[in-house]
Short mmCIF file of all heavy atoms in Angstrom, two decimals:
data_model
loop_
_atom_site.label_atom_id
_atom_site.label_comp_id
_atom_site.label_asym_id
_atom_site.label_seq_id
_atom_site.Cartn_x
_atom_site.Cartn_y
_atom_site.Cartn_z
N ASN A 45 -11.78 -5.92 6.40
CA ASN A 45 -12.77 -4.98 5.89
C ASN A 45 -13.26 -5.45 4.51
O ASN A 45 -12.81 -5.00 3.48
CB ASN A 45 -12.13 -3.58 5.79
CG ASN A 45 -13.08 -2.57 5.19
OD1 ASN A 45 -14.29 -2.68 5.30
ND2 ASN A 45 -12.52 -1.58 4.50
N ARG A 46 -14.22 -6.37 4.53
CA ARG A 46 -14.77 -6.92 3.29
C ARG A 46 -16.13 -6.29 3.00
O ARG A 46 -16.86 -5.86 3.89
CB ARG A 46 -14.94 -8.43 3.39
CG ARG A 46 -13.66 -9.23 3.61
CD ARG A 46 -12.76 -9.25 2.38
NE ARG A 46 -11.96 -8.04 2.27
CZ ARG A 46 -11.51 -7.55 1.16
NH1 ARG A 46 -11.77 -8.14 0.02
NH2 ARG A 46 -10.80 -6.45 1.14
N SER A 47 -16.50 -6.28 1.72
CA SER A 47 -17.80 -5.72 1.33
C SER A 47 -18.96 -6.59 1.80
O SER A 47 -20.07 -6.09 2.02
CB SER A 47 -17.87 -5.57 -0.20
OG SER A 47 -16.89 -4.66 -0.66
N SER A 48 -18.73 -7.90 1.94
CA SER A 48 -19.79 -8.81 2.38
C SER A 48 -19.15 -10.03 3.05
O SER A 48 -17.93 -10.22 2.99
CB SER A 48 -20.65 -9.26 1.19
OG SER A 48 -19.92 -10.14 0.35
N MET A 49 -19.98 -10.88 3.64
CA MET A 49 -19.48 -12.10 4.29
C MET A 49 -18.89 -13.08 3.28
O MET A 49 -18.19 -14.01 3.64
CB MET A 49 -20.61 -12.77 5.07
CG MET A 49 -20.91 -12.11 6.41
SD MET A 49 -19.49 -12.09 7.54
CE MET A 49 -19.29 -13.85 7.86
N GLN A 50 -19.21 -12.91 2.00
CA GLN A 50 -18.70 -13.81 0.98
C GLN A 50 -17.26 -13.49 0.59
O GLN A 50 -16.61 -14.25 -0.12
CB GLN A 50 -19.59 -13.76 -0.27
CG GLN A 50 -20.93 -14.48 -0.11
CD GLN A 50 -21.87 -13.81 0.87
OE1 GLN A 50 -22.08 -12.60 0.78
NE2 GLN A 50 -22.41 -14.56 1.81
N GLY A 51 -16.75 -12.32 1.03
CA GLY A 51 -15.39 -11.93 0.68
C GLY A 51 -14.34 -12.78 1.36
O GLY A 51 -14.42 -13.05 2.56
N LYS A 52 -13.35 -13.25 0.58
CA LYS A 52 -12.27 -14.04 1.16
C LYS A 52 -11.33 -13.15 1.96
O LYS A 52 -10.95 -12.07 1.51
CB LYS A 52 -11.50 -14.75 0.04
CG LYS A 52 -12.33 -15.79 -0.70
CD LYS A 52 -11.51 -16.49 -1.78
CE LYS A 52 -12.36 -17.53 -2.51
NZ LYS A 52 -11.59 -18.21 -3.58
N ARG A 53 -10.94 -13.62 3.13
CA ARG A 53 -10.18 -12.78 4.05
C ARG A 53 -8.69 -13.04 4.08
O ARG A 53 -7.91 -12.17 4.46
CB ARG A 53 -10.76 -12.92 5.46
CG ARG A 53 -12.14 -12.32 5.58
CD ARG A 53 -12.67 -12.35 6.99
NE ARG A 53 -11.78 -11.73 7.95
CZ ARG A 53 -12.14 -11.43 9.19
NH1 ARG A 53 -13.39 -11.67 9.60
NH2 ARG A 53 -11.29 -10.87 10.03
N GLY A 54 -8.23 -14.23 3.71
CA GLY A 54 -6.80 -14.50 3.74
C GLY A 54 -6.47 -15.77 4.50
O GLY A 54 -7.35 -16.43 5.05
N VAL A 55 -5.17 -16.10 4.56
CA VAL A 55 -4.75 -17.37 5.15
C VAL A 55 -4.46 -17.26 6.64
O VAL A 55 -4.18 -18.27 7.29
CB VAL A 55 -3.51 -17.93 4.41
CG1 VAL A 55 -3.82 -18.14 2.94
CG2 VAL A 55 -2.30 -17.02 4.59
N GLY A 56 -4.49 -16.06 7.20
CA GLY A 56 -4.31 -15.91 8.64
C GLY A 56 -2.91 -15.51 9.06
O GLY A 56 -1.96 -15.56 8.28
#
Side-chain angles (χ1 to χ4, degrees):
N45 177 29
R46 299 289 81 207
S47 297
S48 71
M49 282 300 294
Q50 285 68 50
K52 295 181 179 179
R53 292 185 54 167
V55 301

